[in-house]
Amino acid sequence: NIDHELIRLFLHSMEMDLYQNSYVDASYKEYIYGSVEVVGLMCLKVFCNNNDELYDSLIEPARSLGAAFQKINFLRDMKSDYDERGRVYFPGIDFVNFDNLQKEAIEKDIKKDFDDAYLGIIKLPKSVRFGVYVAYIYYLNLFKKIKKTNALMVKKKRIRVNDGKKMYLFVESAVRHRLNLM
């Protein structure tokens, strides 16, 4: 029962990557909605197992989680997007002059998305909550690492969470989930 309009919007955003190298506020929001928020809504439809009331109550948190993930990907991949495709996703950002003030404004927006998303994660059915929570924790840790990194370094290298840390986050999340400490 996934709405075909969500699929169409996803494909439209993927098509935007073929011809668009910079974004204004409206096209940025359109791209994020179609590239990840609709994927979250498709997953949510499956997760809610035909419980329309639950689905409707979790739409905004699901969108926020997708938006947070995408914006972090934009920051993490800023160098390669610019160097390899001449692309900057963030509206009004000039890659050459990207600085800590601009980075902090983006981070403030991402933090709000994460805060809103968490409120939905804890309301998901227990059978699907763990997988979503693990992804949330991984991206939250990547976000924390990016926040600690100077804008000049974000422009120079791809920030990542090492495999050992990923394993630790997985195990810690499993314990927290098992003990209902999320």
Side-chain angles (χ1 to χ4, degrees):
N1 295 327
I2 292 173
D3 184 349
H4 285 99
E5 179 65 6
L6 297 176
I7 297 166
R8 187 195 69 72
L9 290 166
F10 173 77
L11 294 173
H12 172 68
S13 283
M14 297 304 95
E15 184 180 1
M16 289 172 76
D17 270 339
L18 297 175
Y19 60 83
Q20 196 151 349
N21 289 334
S22 64
Y23 291 80
V24 295
D25 193 53
S27 58
Y28 171 73
K29 288 177 181 174
E30 176 186 6
Y31 182 86
I32 290 175
Y33 181 71
S35 65
V36 292
E37 291 181 27
V38 298
V39 173
L41 295 176
M42 288 185 249
C43 291
L44 184 61
K45 192 68 165 173
V46 173
F47 296 163
C48 291
N49 197 23
N50 294 318
N51 181 338
D52 292 335
E53 186 177 322
L54 180 61
Y55 176 84
D56 290 343
S57 74
L58 295 176
I59 288 173
E60 291 308 314
R63 290 184 60 189
S64 293
L65 185 62
F69 288 1
Q70 184 69 287
K71 292 168 190 174
I72 289 168
N73 286 346
F74 290 161
L75 277 175
R76 179 197 63 199
D77 299 334
M78 193 174 215
K79 177 185 176 3
S80 65
D81 282 336
Y82 184 77
D83 288 349
E84 297 167 21
R85 294 166 208 79
R87 180 180 301 138
V88 176
Y89 286 100
F90 296 108
I93 299 295
D94 172 16
F95 178 82
V96 174
N97 296 308
F98 183 64
D99 63 23
N100 286 322
L101 283 176
Q102 293 169 325
K103 182 174 162 285
E104 289 166 10
I106 292 166
E107 291 167 349
K108 182 179 177 185
D109 184 44
I110 294 170
K111 177 163 182 351
K112 181 180 179 340
D113 286 331
F114 266 121
D115 292 346
D116 294 346
Y118 181 77
L119 298 174
I121 292 170
I122 59 177
K123 294 177 184 174
L124 284 169
K126 189 164 176 77
S127 61
V128 299
R129 190 179 314 139
F130 175 65
V132 177
Y133 181 71
V134 168
Y136 168 87
I137 290 298
Y138 165 73
Y139 269 90
L140 184 61
N141 275 267
L142 179 57
F143 178 55
K144 289 175 183 177
K145 194 166 183 178
I146 290 171
K147 279 183 73 167
K148 291 179 187 175
T149 305
N150 185 291
L152 294 175
M153 287 308 295
V154 170
K155 288 174 26 174
K156 290 183 181 181
K157 70 175 195 166
R158 187 176 201 253
I159 310 301
R160 63 179 304 273
V161 175
N162 71 48
D163 292 343
K165 178 74 172 187
K166 288 178 190 175
M167 184 57 70
Y168 171 80
L169 294 171
F170 177 82
V171 171
E172 180 185 50
S173 296
V175 170
R176 291 182 66 79
H177 181 259
R178 180 85 170 180
L179 298 174
N180 287 321
L181 298 175
M182 298 175 17

